[in-house]
Amino acid sequence: MTAMTAGHAAAPGARGAGGAARTESGSGRPLLNRRLAEFGTTIFAEMSALAVETGALNLGQGFPDTDGPEQVREAAVRALRDGRGNQYPPGPGVPELRAAIAAHQQRFYGLSPDPDTEVLVTAGATEAIAASLLALVEPGDEVIALEPYYDSYAASIAMAGGTRVPVMLHPAAGEAPHGAADEHATDKDESEEGGADASGADRADRADRADRADRADRADRADRADRADRADEYATDGTYRLDLDELRDAITDRTRLILLNTPHNPTGTVLSRAELAAVAEMCVEHDLLAVTDEVYEHLVFEGTHHPLASFPGMRERTVTISSSGKTFSFTGWKVGWVTGTPALVSAVRSAKQYLTYVSAGPFQYAVAEALALPDDYYTALREDLRAKRDLLARGLRAAGFGVFRPAGTYFITTDIRPLGATDGTAFCLDLPRRAGVVAVPTQVFYDHAEAGAPYVRFAFCKRKGVLEEAVTRLKRLAP
């Protein structure tokens, strides 16, 4: 694979770093397929290992630290005991789950995929993405992806022999709380003591203390002003936006498909109906396919999630991907799915059958029951994560970070420049020792690595007590 822009010649510790074991064979030829030469250990594995090594709180990798609903877990146990799924399940997925996925799409979006021909169960969304790209992309085809992007996108495009074409989401200009809020009131002068009969020595001592307090207060005000200046220098309105003109300009006669992620990891952007309508028009105009990663569909705090397949002309050209891990907090079960027209699903299945073939038999029955949970479940999940987002966002601002307010997902992107730092990778490698917290540098999600260098991602899908402790620890960084 060739990238149209530089950026994946990774810094030490980032995903492009490789080891001697993969560099050459006895013949001198590299062991690793050249399409994967730029990819090393994923940043998530590296930072999670660092969390274990240092005993730090892991806000890097996006997995919950509690299990999902007890009734869903018990459904998996019941399937195991009843012998359902303990042997190879059907290649497309068990009928109960395919029917539940179709019912979910109808219930939430008014889409009606045929469970027999338009639904495919996969080993999580990551396999669904890989199988879709392997099936639909020929060597030399261009694949447009929103940058920054989940790291498996680049690897999957590479394995398909495609050329990735990043279109960057940009921090939107405006005003937002960047850096620590001024929570320190000016020290008050000590009240005078002793009245008219105080000695000259007492008055001199009080005058000296008042002078020292005044000098300290002036220094503190100057420091706060300096921090405010640094925060203003990097101020945004706390969001990322898609430049539709840039997307339009990225389309060429070699473009095969647009790989779209909304709600978006890592920025938390939720594309609006108008933005998605424009994307759909471009796809129809240029006869492009779309692969949409919608795993955070139920984690939307502002705005509304709109599947691209619901727009005019898009049903027949969209592969829609989602999974159970983020919605039900069972990320280890790896149950995902694809929906699309029979022709699209058949193409994806042709690649998927040579990856895992089948997986997660008993868990498929449990996820079928999970998808039928009442609306109250989905509302409570969203509100719980909204509160956790706000808790961590306040703590990050108090610690001096610039904070981008996510409209969806369970990640917060932060700007480290108000803290006087500019290299996110170096910052994250040092953060566990400085503050006992692990985060992920977002520059590893960019082709334009320099554009992502000052940004760091934190996950808030953790217990409230863990987030509160993380906030306390991060306050050590405050200037």
Side-chain angles (χ1 to χ4, degrees):
M1 176 198 66
T2 57
M4 293 190 70
T5 55
H8 278 285
R15 62 174 173 167
R22 69 178 195 146
T23 58
E24 62 180 46
S25 63
S27 66
R29 176 178 171 177
L31 293 173
L32 183 65
N33 185 313
R34 65 180 177 274
R35 291 179 178 176
L36 295 176
E38 67 179 286
F39 306 103
T41 303
T42 71
I43 189 64
F44 307 111
E46 291 181 27
M47 300 313 295
S48 291
L50 188 58
V52 172
E53 175 189 335
T54 61
L57 299 176
N58 189 355
L59 303 191
Q61 192 165 5
F63 60 85
D65 56 2
T66 57
D67 285 345
E70 180 64 20
Q71 68 196 88
V72 177
R73 184 166 57 180
E74 285 304 308
V77 172
R78 189 168 64 250
L80 281 164
R81 288 175 175 162
D82 293 347
R84 292 183 298 152
N86 292 337
Q87 308 305 326
Y88 294 135
V94 301
E96 291 87 343
L97 178 53
R98 285 185 279 120
I101 292 167
H104 169 275
Q105 294 301 92
Q106 173 61 46
R107 171 185 173 187
F108 288 100
Y109 310 119
L111 299 172
S112 302
D114 184 328
D116 293 325
T117 62
E118 298 184 325
V119 179
L120 173 66
V121 177
T122 60
T126 300
E127 186 194 41
I129 292 162
S132 297
L133 294 172
L134 287 168
L136 302 174
V137 175
E138 296 276 2
D141 285 345
E142 292 178 356
V143 177
I144 295 174
L146 302 187
E147 182 184 29
Y149 46 74
Y150 178 53
D151 64 349
S152 82
Y153 296 175
S156 295
I157 296 168
M159 288 187 284
T163 296
R164 68 175 177 268
V165 181
V167 172
M168 195 180 301
L169 296 177
H170 297 283
E175 295 183 1
H178 259 261
D182 181 7
E183 298 174 351
H184 302 285
T186 302
D187 293 337
K188 294 182 179 179
D189 292 339
E190 292 184 11
S191 60
E192 292 195 356
E193 302 173 0
D197 61 347
S199 69
D202 286 340
R203 289 195 297 273
D205 181 60
R206 288 199 301 273
D208 180 61
R209 281 184 287 150
D211 182 60
R212 282 187 280 116
D214 183 60
R215 289 197 302 271
D217 180 57
R218 287 198 301 270
D220 184 54
R221 287 199 300 270
D223 179 63
R224 292 200 300 272
D226 178 64
R227 280 186 281 147
D229 287 343
R230 280 188 281 144
D232 288 342
E233 183 179 355
Y234 306 111
T236 73
D237 69 0
T239 63
Y240 285 78
R241 296 299 348 146
L242 171 62
D243 186 322
L244 291 168
D245 289 332
E246 287 188 18
L247 178 60
R248 189 173 291 107
D249 290 344
I251 298 172
T252 73
D253 58 4
R254 296 179 299 279
T255 305
R256 171 63 166 169
L257 63 81
I258 296 176
L259 176 54
L260 197 70
N261 175 211
T262 182
H264 182 265
N265 173 19
T267 67
T269 300
V270 176
L271 296 181
S272 69
R273 176 180 288 278
E275 288 170 323
L276 289 166
V279 173
E281 290 174 2
M282 292 180 214
C283 288
V284 172
E285 177 185 353
H286 296 279
D287 193 23
L288 304 180
L289 299 175
V291 174
T292 62
D293 177 356
E294 304 181 17
V295 297
Y296 298 100
E297 60 186 315
H298 292 293
L299 308 185
V300 176
F301 314 119
E302 277 92 37
T304 303
H305 174 64
H306 304 285
L308 189 63
S310 66
F311 287 78
M314 291 309 295
R315 182 183 181 277
E316 60 268 27
R317 63 181 70 248
T318 302
V319 174
T320 302
I321 293 170
S322 194
S323 77
S324 62
K326 305 301 189 293
T327 300
F328 302 111
S329 299
F330 290 110
T331 58
W333 290 6
K334 297 299 291 178
V335 179
W337 51 84
V338 163
T339 58
T341 62
L344 286 169
V345 169
S346 177
V348 176
R349 186 170 63 244
S350 295
K352 180 262 188 295
Q353 66 187 339
Y354 296 112
L355 297 176
T356 60
Y357 179 51
V358 293
S359 62
F363 299 136
Q364 291 190 32
Y365 293 97
V367 172
E369 294 191 27
L371 286 168
L373 288 173
D375 290 351
D376 288 351
Y377 169 78
Y378 294 92
T379 300
L381 171 72
R382 182 174 61 251
E383 294 309 311
D384 176 66
L385 284 168
R386 187 200 305 274
K388 291 175 177 178
R389 176 199 65 173
D390 294 345
L391 186 162
L392 183 58
R394 285 193 300 270
L396 289 165
R397 281 194 293 269
F401 291 88
V403 175
F404 293 89
R405 180 184 176 90
T409 78
Y410 44 48
F411 303 110
I412 294 177
T413 295
T414 62
D415 190 336
I416 59 175
R417 288 174 293 183
L419 291 168
T422 57
D423 184 337
T425 297
F427 182 89
C428 287
L429 290 173
D430 194 40
L431 188 61
R433 296 175 180 85
R434 290 179 63 196
V437 176
V438 163
V440 167
T442 62
Q443 67 197 93
V444 302
F445 305 135
Y446 282 83
D447 280 310
H448 303 83
E450 70 286 351
Y455 303 119
V456 168
R457 190 193 80 175
F458 292 85
F460 54 86
C461 50
K462 311 295 180 180
R463 286 168 290 144
K464 181 181 179 182
V466 171
L467 295 175
E468 289 172 337
E469 175 61 22
V471 165
T472 298
R473 295 184 184 189
L474 289 167
K475 286 180 180 176
R476 303 173 194 170
L477 303 174

